[in-house]
Structure formats: structure tokens, C-alpha cells
Amino acid sequence: MPKLPKEILDKSLERFTVERDWFRENLEAARQMPGEEYELNAMMLDILLAAKQKVLDAAHNDEPFIGGYFCNAPELFTSMDLPWMMVLETPFLSASAPYVIDDIEGAEDMGLLGDMCTAIRLPIFYIENNMMPIPTCCLGLLYPCDGAPMLHQVLMHNSNWQNVPIYSCDPPYTSDERAVNYFADELREMTGFIAKHTGKKLEMDKLVEVCERSNEVYSVWQEYMECRRHKPCPHGWELGGAQCFAISQCFTVGDPKSVAWFRKLIEVAQNRIKAGKGAQDLPGWKEKCRIFWFDIMPYGWVFEFMPWLETELGVVLVNDMFGNYPYTLIDTSSEETIYHDLAKRNLVDAPMIRQARGTAENFVYDIQKNIKDFRVDCVIWPGHMGHKDGAATVGIMREACREMDVPFLHIGLDLFDKRYTSVDEVKDKVETFLRGHGLI
Amino acid sequence: METKIKSGAFQKFAEACGSLMNSEIQAWLDQGGKVAGFFCSTVPEEILMAAGYLPFRMRGTGSTDTELADAYFSPINCSYPRHVMNQALKGEFKFLDALICVNACDHVRRIYDNWIRYAKGINGTTFETVMSLPRKWGDRQVDWYYDEINLLRENLAKHTGVEITDDKIKEAIKLNNQLRSLQKELYELRKKDNPPITGAEALVAVVAGTAMPKDRYIELLRQLIDDLKDAEGNDGYKARIMLVGGELDDPEYINIIEEQGGLVVTDSNCFGSRLFWVNVDEAESDPVRALAKYYVQDRPTCPRTYGSQPERMEFTRTLAREFNVDGIIGERLLYCDNWLVEHYMTKFDLKEHGGNMPFLALDREYILSGKGQIKTRVQAFLETMEL
Ligand code: SF4
Ligand code: SF4
């Protein structure tokens, strides 16, 4: 890829740098605070910050780095020593930043209306306004929703990104062996593409090493999930859950620091279980109700909602879609088995692509399994406005819950934009539902 | 719908487009024939035909509300599948024996899941499936869809007891190619300064082709083309318009545009040119491979096919040039992410590299509401072109 003109490069890194600094401040703050929970937070921020810094260093030094999506089998480019960022990460990491509403309005002014997924229109806004680092090459994924291929097509269309080669894996709609093998071939082709555009080679022993370390991460994650089954649940919305997904496959993969984080997480959870503690330490607080939040967390206004739910109502989020654990480990005995199992992990196991791609079976399976495994009292489908396949699965989900005799609530909201359904309205809906079912 | 067209063939088409069931389907059923409904134009109808079915492209025509479907879909779902589902829950598809779906878009693909649970019993379908259509258009994707089509072939053969031979598939391909060529011929008439058929009428003719036996349709379409050759043309319009978008089966929407003086002379729509601009390769010895290649690679794509935006843009430009178009309307059903982003890119391309071709993005619901607003926006659009 030709070298970027300085003004384009600088502008593209501006926002990313602000966010890096913001995480740095948070890390400093977390390090100053006493207690195991802060220690865990600091460990996580340290991992995240390192990933951001690697991208910035590569961009400044004109070294190759990847713009990835999620479920792109990051084990592959990790073993090629390539830093990466996710094109989708910007809206998630900056969801509660003061500028996010301005950015949403900016997207609307461009004609990306409010009926389109905010998680997709925000990155489009960032790409079109040169507010995202421009990678050496880009990896896309054509599911879990219609927004994904459209986002990638805008990226190919944008004048600053037109020289960025992009390869997008095509996940089939089915999940059988034929589908896994097809997806494995997509990943193989993707590896060749990365090598061609970055000059980095994939060494098999390095890949084996990364996969083995990533297996270790997944194994400790599984161990941790056992802790969350406990009643009362030792952790609520703040710890574990979606962080496990972020730390196992979004910002880093097969990282010894992730293993250490998970081990610490287990230790903290076990200490709480031993002490008979639930998710909160508040005097007189009791776990009254256990919920399965079957989607992404409402990151745009999470601090206005989740603490209220947990501390005031005693409602504990025992699991969510991204904390869900259905993973199988990678058999590292041959190149064939590695690609096969990476394909399975990224096509069938990882959240969102697991549920939203393919028929509604996985929605039903995951709901019913979580109800059983975590002794869930009710299921909440937040109904993010972007999840249109899920919106068309609402009746099926409700019936899956009815079969298990567990109440189901569909809210209807925007995970990023609290103007879509106000936080008060969401609280009101949730509280009325919980009281109506005698759950609090 | 009011029409100047005198042709009896057109009356037949209007009947087929204006309701789900029509006399041609009834006659087919009376002779013991079976009907297979399908979603999205990427389902290889030719296999259904070779299995002895009359393929019927699913619509929600006649629906007035979504009360029943609302228990299964949400208000953020496209109104097209919601209305179709509502019709299904009312038992309006009892004439179907089978339903073939494809993972077209996030809304439509869930019809399959809801149908097998809640609508199958009501309508009495005995075979349902969902095909996995790739989102790319490379050779590996052709191979994948080739297997998908063969699976459909096998399963339908098992279900119907009909042997689906290569010859039967080739015959169906030939028939559909004839049909497509005729539809293209019909569109050619619209290149005239005074086209003998309006956009709304052309849509009627295309929709009818998805709701009656193909040989009968071909016969009627030939008749219509003959009748139109010497017919009086439409004049007095303010501008020649091209429509670009997805699922549009309601001529009333085009009528509103045309009543304001914008004569729709061509389109790149799902019930439109993209269906028939290119034919299946009859020279290919393996007819299933020819179909896989056609549906994945050869035909003008829709936005769900990743990486083909430049080709779609080129297709739009070519048609706009050939049909001497003054402005383009990007129609979209609300909540459709595919077409929202596609229109965003089209608008940009037309402005930056399109010689300033006017473009209007015009959202709608499946059952026309807000007609006044559509009128006002079209009027304003036409005025900008007059300047
Ligand atoms: S827009 Fe594409 S996916 Fe949707 S109906 Fe048309 S061809 Fe099928
Ligand atoms: S208009 Fe868009 S959302 Fe609606 S059915 Fe077609 S592709 Fe799907």
C-alpha cells in the first residue's frame, strides 16, 4: 500500500490516540485503587492498552498492521506477529464517551438513518470522516448481519481506503462439517492474502504455539464459568461476562497476560464464594433474581442502568451473549486440524455469528442451556435496533422460555443511543416486568 | 390500477399481480399440479420447475395489517416479510405445497424459522427448506452454491418422487431464458421517447411472471409485446425516471411517482431488470453448474453480494444511459440496511462521477402509507430537474 500523506495519517490517528490516552488514565487510576477488583481491571486495561499502542506504533513507523473484524481467527495473524485493531471496536470502546451522540448525529446527517444499526453506522461515519487508523490491509466478515458486508463495501468505496486491500471471509448459513470446511478454506485464503500484503509469513510452529496458548485461555475461561453458576453469583455485570470475550479473542489472543487475568478472576470469584458473597458487598444486599441478558451490553449507557439493576433491585446478570461459553479447543496436531477447529470456533462458537447467522436453532439452544446451567429466573432480549434477525426471532425466543417456564422480556433499544429508548423507560419496563412476575 | 393498455394479456397480468391466487394458478392446481413458494430471486426456480412445481415468488399482496405476524416479528423488521407472514398466519398460502427460502437478508431469512413453527400447519406445506447463498461471488462460492442446488435437487426428488434429470433442468433453463429474453424485449419498448407502457404497468407484467405457469406467461407476454408495438405511447411526462432498489411488487408506488409526471422507464429492482438482464448459459454441459454460476456470478447482483458495488453502479449507469434517464429514485423499504447503505454510495457516485445525475432516496412501507409525503418528495425532486 502506498505511504499515506502526513495530514491523512495524522487525522486518521487522532481519535484513536485520544482513546489510548483515556485508557491510559483509567489504568493509572485503577492502579491507585485498593482491592482485587481494581487489580483485575488494571490487568485488563493493560492488555487493551498494549494492543492500542502496538497499532499506533505500527501506523507511525509505517509498519504493517491489520484492520480486522471479529471472528477472523486472530490466532492466524497473531502468529504472524501483526498488530491489529477491529474496525468495529471504535463504537464499543468509545460508547460511553461524551462525543458518541455527536458522532451518531453526524452519521444521521450523512443519511445513515436511525433505522440502521448504530454499531455499523458509527464505523461508517468514522471511516468516511477519516477518524480511524488506516491499516495495511483489512479483514472483514460477511455475517452476522446485513450491516457487516455493507460496512465493508463502504470501506472499499472510501477514497482513503481504496488502496487498502481487503479480504472478507464468507460464513455459510449452515454449521455442519461442509460449512466448517468451507470456512476453513476461506481462512486459508485469508492467510495467503495477509502474507501477500504484509510480507509476513505464517510459520506452523508459531501457529501451534499461539493456538496452544489460546486453548489455555479458553480452558481457564471454562473453569471460571463454573464459578458463575454459583448461587449467589460471585460476579455481576461488571466482571467476567463480556470481558472474557474481549480478552480471549478481541484485543489479544493466546496471551499469557490473559491467562493470568482469568486465573485472577477465578481466584477472586472463589474467594467471594467461600465468603458467601454475591455480586455486591453493600450492607443488606441480596441476590433476588438471576437474569440472562441475551445480547451485547448497553455500552452507551451501561453505567446508568446496570448498577441500578444490581444494587437497587438485586438483579444479577449471571450471563450474557458475549460471556456465553460454547467453545471447543483446537486440535494442534496438524495444519488441517488447526484450520478446521479455528473455522469452527469462529463460525459456530463465537457469539453473535453463532446465533445471528443460520437458523434460529442456536437462539433456542443457548437460551435453554443458560436457563438450566445458571439457574436463570428470567431472560431479557434487549432487542438492539440493529439486530433485525433477532427481532424476527422474538416469538421463537419467547416460546423457548415458555417451554422452560421462565419469563421473557423483549425491550427494544439502541445499545449506544439512549435517546432511542430512554434509560428511564428501559428501567420502567424492566422493573414492571420483574415485579409482575414476582421476581423482585 | 388505471391503464390505457387494451391488451387482454395485460388484464391477465393485472389479475395475477393484484392478488396471491389467480385463475392460472387455480387451473394448474385443478390439473393436479403443485405450487412451490420461494423467497428471493436467487432461489433456482429451474429446479422447482424440473421437479414439476409451479414456482411462486412470495408476496404479501392483499395484506392490510400485520397483527398476527407481530407476535413473531418486531416493529424494526422490514414490512415485506411481516405482511407475508401475516398472510401466512391467515392461511392465505394454502395453495402452496412447498416453501424454499434463502438467507436473503436478516428479515426475510427468519421467515423460514417462523414458517416451520407457526405457519406450516396453517397452510399445509409438506416441504420447507432454507438454502445457504454465499455473500461473495468468487469461484469457491459458485462451488458452494452448486452443492446447495444439488442438495435441493436431491431432497425435492425424494419428496416428490420425481426424477429430476439434467434434461428436465435444461428444459426449465431454456424456458426461463425465453421468458427473460421476452421481458427484456418488453423493457426495450420503454427506450422509446413515448414508451407504450408505464413503469407501473411494466411492474405488473414482471410480477405476473412469478405467479403463473411459465409457458402460459410466455404466450401472454408475446401477445402483450405485439399489442404494444403499435400502441399509443405515453407522453407529456416531466422526466424519465429509473428506479433502483429491492423488493417492490406494488405498482401503486410507481403510480404515485408517475402521477406527478415522472415516467419510470427502467429499473434495477428485484422484480425488475436484475431478474432477466442476463440469461443462464445453455452451452454449459452441467445445468446445475450453469445455475450456480448464474445465481452467484453472472446475474446483476444486489447489495448483499459483497464486493460488487462497482459493478452494480456500472449496471445502473448503463441502464440510465440506454433508457435516456433524467433522474434516479432509490426506493427502499424502511429498516433495510442493505439498501440504505447502497443508496448512500450510489448517491455519492452519481454526484462525484456521474455527471450530476439527480438522485432521490425514497423510503416506503410494504403497504403504501404516507402517500402524501411520497407525492411531495417526488414533486420536489421533479422540480429540481426542471431547473
Ligand atoms: S435485495 Fe437481494 S436479497 Fe433482497 S430480495 Fe432482492 S435479490 Fe434477494
Ligand atoms: S427490502 Fe431489504 S430488508 Fe426488506 S426484504 Fe428486501 S433486502 Fe430484506
Side-chain angles (χ1 to χ4, degrees):
Chain A
M1 188 183 126
K3 215 172 158 173
L4 288 169
K6 186 165 171 3
E7 65 286 4
I8 293 183
L9 175 72
D10 289 349
K11 170 98 191 344
S12 71
L13 299 178
E14 236 171 62
R15 178 65 77 80
F16 202 79
T17 311
V18 168
E19 281 166 6
R20 188 268 325 259
D21 293 346
W22 187 77
F23 283 114
R24 199 180 261 167
E25 279 165 30
N26 270 292
L27 174 62
E28 288 315 315
R31 278 183 177 149
Q32 306 301 316
M33 303 296 282
E36 294 183 309
E37 276 81 8
Y38 282 109
E39 201 184 319
L40 269 169
N41 251 336
M43 288 167 86
M44 202 189 74
L45 285 165
D46 187 40
I47 293 172
L48 211 148
L49 205 55
K52 288 241 164 208
Q53 192 57 52
K54 275 189 204 162
V55 167
L56 279 172
D57 291 345
H60 283 300
N61 301 328
D62 202 18
E63 280 164 8
F65 71 100
I66 304 269
Y69 207 66
F70 75 121
C71 301
N72 277 132
E75 284 80 357
L76 292 167
F77 36 93
T78 297
S79 56
M80 293 163 102
D81 263 338
L82 283 160
W84 91 89
M85 56 154 204
M86 291 196 309
V87 168
L88 255 197
E89 78 186 42
T90 334
F92 286 97
L93 291 181
S94 62
S96 49
Y99 43 73
V100 80
I101 296 290
D102 290 342
D103 295 349
I104 294 172
E105 280 172 3
E108 269 158 26
D109 291 344
M110 283 162 57
L112 302 170
L113 306 177
D115 65 334
M116 185 195 182
C117 181
T118 307
I120 297 290
R121 57 198 177 124
L122 275 175
I124 292 183
F125 171 78
Y126 298 134
I127 288 163
E128 295 286 77
N129 290 287
N130 191 21
M131 293 164 77
M132 199 188 277
I134 302 173
T136 317
C137 63
C138 203
L139 309 174
L141 189 78
L142 305 180
Y143 259 113
C145 64
D146 292 340
M150 295 321 290
L151 165 63
H152 303 325
Q153 293 189 90
V154 170
L155 188 154
M156 294 158 101
H157 185 257
N158 179 280
S159 57
N160 287 331
W161 286 64
Q162 258 160 10
N163 290 323
V164 179
I166 172 163
Y167 182 87
S168 293
C169 291
D170 173 43
Y173 203 57
T174 45
S175 301
D176 55 6
E177 266 306 287
R178 182 167 74 99
V180 172
N181 289 331
Y182 169 87
F183 197 62
D185 284 343
E186 290 283 289
L187 292 179
R188 264 195 199 92
E189 194 169 88
M190 183 184 91
T191 312
F193 164 89
I194 300 172
K196 179 173 165 205
H197 295 287
T198 62
K200 302 268 187 171
K201 290 268 160 315
L202 179 74
E203 312 281 350
M204 248 318 132
D205 17 339
K206 190 76 200 293
L207 179 59
V208 169
E209 193 190 314
V210 171
C211 288
E212 277 170 1
R213 282 206 314 251
S214 102
N215 279 348
E216 199 186 341
V217 173
Y218 284 93
S219 304
V220 268
W221 180 359
Q222 188 173 25
E223 241 177 280
Y224 170 66
M225 291 317 279
E226 292 303 311
C227 301
R228 282 193 90 97
R229 287 184 186 215
H230 200 268
K231 222 172 176 173
C233 189
H235 293 148
W237 68 276
E238 235 172 335
L239 270 183
Q243 289 175 332
C244 303
F245 169 73
I247 234 162
S248 59
Q249 53 195 295
C250 289
F251 303 108
T252 183
V253 76
D255 190 336
K257 282 184 179 175
S258 304
V259 179
W261 182 84
F262 271 109
R263 292 228 182 277
K264 183 74 193 166
L265 188 68
I266 294 172
E267 187 192 314
V268 174
Q270 282 172 344
N271 287 343
R272 294 191 76 83
I273 292 170
K274 264 188 231 138
K277 287 180 175 176
Q280 282 289 336
D281 288 331
L282 296 168
W285 183 90
K286 246 184 88 189
E287 175 184 288
K288 291 190 193 140
C289 170
R290 297 159 70 86
I291 62 166
F292 176 41
W293 181 269
F294 198 27
D295 205 333
I296 307 173
M297 300 273 261
Y299 287 112
W301 37 278
V302 72
F303 297 109
E304 291 168 70
F305 176 70
M306 286 294 174
W308 166 84
L309 193 66
E310 196 168 282
T311 56
E312 292 196 24
L313 302 188
V315 174
V316 178
L317 194 149
V318 288
N319 207 4
D320 68 282
M321 187 183 269
F322 283 71
N324 191 35
Y325 187 97
Y327 300 96
T328 39
L329 302 183
I330 293 164
D331 173 355
T332 55
S333 54
S334 71
E335 186 181 329
E336 192 72 15
T337 59
I338 292 179
Y339 271 105
H340 175 275
D341 292 354
L342 280 176
K344 184 174 174 294
R345 182 181 282 176
N346 289 276
L347 180 74
V348 186
D349 299 344
M352 208 86 251
I353 185 109
R354 164 180 175 79
Q355 294 89 4
R357 174 200 57 90
T359 60
E361 296 314 319
N362 276 341
F363 275 91
V364 174
Y365 178 85
D366 285 349
I367 284 181
Q368 298 192 334
K369 185 163 189 321
N370 272 277
I371 290 175
K372 275 188 275 177
D373 287 359
F374 295 91
R375 291 181 280 170
V376 160
D377 299 307
C378 68
V379 173
I380 297 185
W381 167 257
H384 170 54
M385 43 73 94
H387 294 161
K388 283 148 181 169
D389 69 295
T393 319
V394 157
I396 295 172
M397 287 193 262
R398 188 176 293 116
E399 195 177 88
C401 287
R402 202 177 289 141
E403 274 173 26
M404 307 286 288
D405 215 9
V406 161
F408 169 83
L409 174 69
H410 167 212
I411 306 174
L413 46 79
D414 183 332
L415 298 167
F416 303 93
D417 189 350
K418 60 186 170 194
R419 299 167 308 172
Y420 187 94
T421 308
S422 73
V423 182
D424 282 343
E425 214 180 310
V426 174
K427 283 182 177 173
D428 191 42
K429 260 194 178 177
V430 172
E431 192 169 348
T432 308
F433 162 78
L434 294 168
R435 290 203 191 284
H437 285 281
L439 294 171
I440 52 170
Chain B
M1 194 186 90
E2 272 186 37
T3 177
K4 283 196 302 196
I5 298 179
K6 300 280 183 310
S7 169
F10 187 77
Q11 302 313 319
K12 278 272 170 207
F13 289 167
E15 186 211 342
C17 174
S19 58
L20 294 176
M21 188 58 177
N22 63 62
S23 50
E24 298 294 336
I25 296 182
Q26 193 55 58
W28 172 270
L29 291 171
D30 291 345
Q31 286 158 25
K34 287 188 173 166
V35 182
F38 68 98
F39 274 100
C40 183
S41 53
T42 43
V43 166
E45 286 183 75
E46 290 81 356
I47 299 294
L48 312 184
M49 290 157 71
Y53 282 111
L54 186 170
F56 176 86
R57 175 101 178 260
M58 297 298 279
R59 288 180 274 129
T61 312
S63 174
T64 49
D65 63 57
T66 56
E67 213 183 331
L68 299 174
D70 289 346
Y72 308 105
F73 282 73
S74 308
I76 61 162
N77 285 123
C78 169
S79 49
Y80 160 58
R82 283 195 286 138
H83 279 284
V84 179
M85 192 66 195
N86 209 72
Q87 293 288 60
L89 293 168
K90 279 164 63 186
E92 298 289 338
F93 292 106
K94 288 201 174 112
F95 61 93
L96 296 184
D97 177 63
L99 181 73
I100 322 297
C101 302
V102 72
N103 54 330
C105 71
D106 291 344
H107 313 255
V108 161
R109 64 192 169 100
R110 285 280 172 255
I111 286 267
Y112 168 77
D113 301 276
N114 283 295
W115 184 286
I116 56 170
R117 288 169 172 86
Y118 312 116
K120 174 187 162 89
I122 298 172
N123 294 283
T125 45
T126 59
F127 179 93
E128 305 80 18
T129 193
V130 57
M131 299 183 76
S132 166
L133 175 73
R135 295 192 96 133
K136 291 200 292 198
W137 56 333
D139 291 344
R140 182 175 313 123
Q141 285 68 47
V142 172
D143 289 347
W144 172 269
Y145 208 48
Y146 175 75
D147 290 345
E148 284 290 302
I149 299 176
N150 270 326
L151 270 174
L152 176 71
R153 173 185 185 170
E154 243 173 70
N155 291 334
L156 275 179
K158 248 185 247 155
H159 177 72
T160 56
V162 172
E163 200 194 337
I164 306 176
T165 60
D166 276 5
D167 283 346
K168 284 185 189 164
I169 302 173
K170 282 181 179 169
E171 216 176 283
I173 289 175
K174 205 167 165 198
L175 198 65
N176 266 2
N177 276 350
Q178 261 177 49
L179 183 156
R180 292 185 185 104
S181 303
L182 278 174
Q183 287 178 327
K184 209 171 164 188
E185 206 180 312
L186 177 76
Y187 266 44
E188 293 292 323
L189 299 175
R190 301 166 77 190
K191 287 183 176 168
K192 293 184 179 179
D193 284 344
N194 298 325
I197 183 166
T198 65
E201 289 158 349
L203 179 61
V204 168
V206 174
V207 171
T210 64
M212 61 173 66
K214 305 293 178 187
D215 40 7
R216 174 72 174 134
Y217 176 74
I218 287 172
E219 184 190 315
L220 289 168
L221 186 55
R222 269 207 188 105
Q223 195 185 314
L224 175 67
I225 293 171
D226 281 349
D227 292 344
L228 288 177
K229 273 183 182 145
D230 308 313
E232 191 191 326
N234 291 286
D235 50 18
Y237 52 82
K238 291 182 192 158
R240 296 170 69 87
I241 300 293
M242 173 174 187
L243 277 186
V244 177
E247 208 284 349
L248 169 66
D249 60 42
D250 184 359
E252 197 42 41
Y253 173 82
I254 303 186
N255 236 349
I256 300 177
I257 299 171
E258 297 191 319
E259 276 167 7
Q260 311 317 307
L263 186 71
V264 174
V265 292
T266 191
D267 64 71
S268 166
N269 275 36
C270 296
F271 276 100
S273 70
R274 288 205 308 275
L275 279 184
F276 51 78
W277 220 248
V278 174
N279 274 346
V280 182
D281 182 6
E282 287 180 44
E284 165 69 60
S285 58
D286 179 349
V288 173
R289 180 142 305 272
L291 288 174
K293 211 171 157 298
Y294 176 73
Y295 286 105
V296 172
Q297 254 173 7
D298 296 345
R299 213 167 56 146
T301 64
C302 82
R304 86 177 279 297
T305 306
Y306 156 87
S308 58
Q309 191 270 342
E311 285 76 7
R312 288 195 295 278
M313 197 58 237
E314 195 42 48
F315 182 67
T316 299
R317 281 214 175 94
T318 307
L319 259 61
R321 205 171 37 241
E322 286 180 5
F323 287 79
N324 200 16
V325 162
D326 302 308
I328 297 179
I329 294 182
E331 62 87 11
R332 177 185 83 117
L333 283 161
L334 276 165
Y335 304 105
C336 177
D337 292 350
N338 283 333
W339 284 102
L340 181 78
V341 181
E342 180 73 2
H343 291 332
Y344 166 75
M345 290 187 280
T346 303
K347 188 176 179 179
F348 178 92
D349 286 350
L350 288 173
K351 199 163 161 232
E352 298 299 312
H353 334 276
N356 264 331
M357 168 75 76
F359 178 84
L360 171 71
L362 195 58
D363 291 347
R364 66 189 172 96
E365 292 280 11
Y366 185 71
I367 299 299
L368 275 181
S369 57
K371 286 186 192 176
Q373 210 198 348
I374 298 180
K375 267 188 198 167
T376 316
R377 296 207 55 211
V378 172
Q379 275 167 5
F381 180 58
L382 294 175
E383 274 162 28
T384 58
M385 275 186 278
E386 276 169 354
L387 288 176

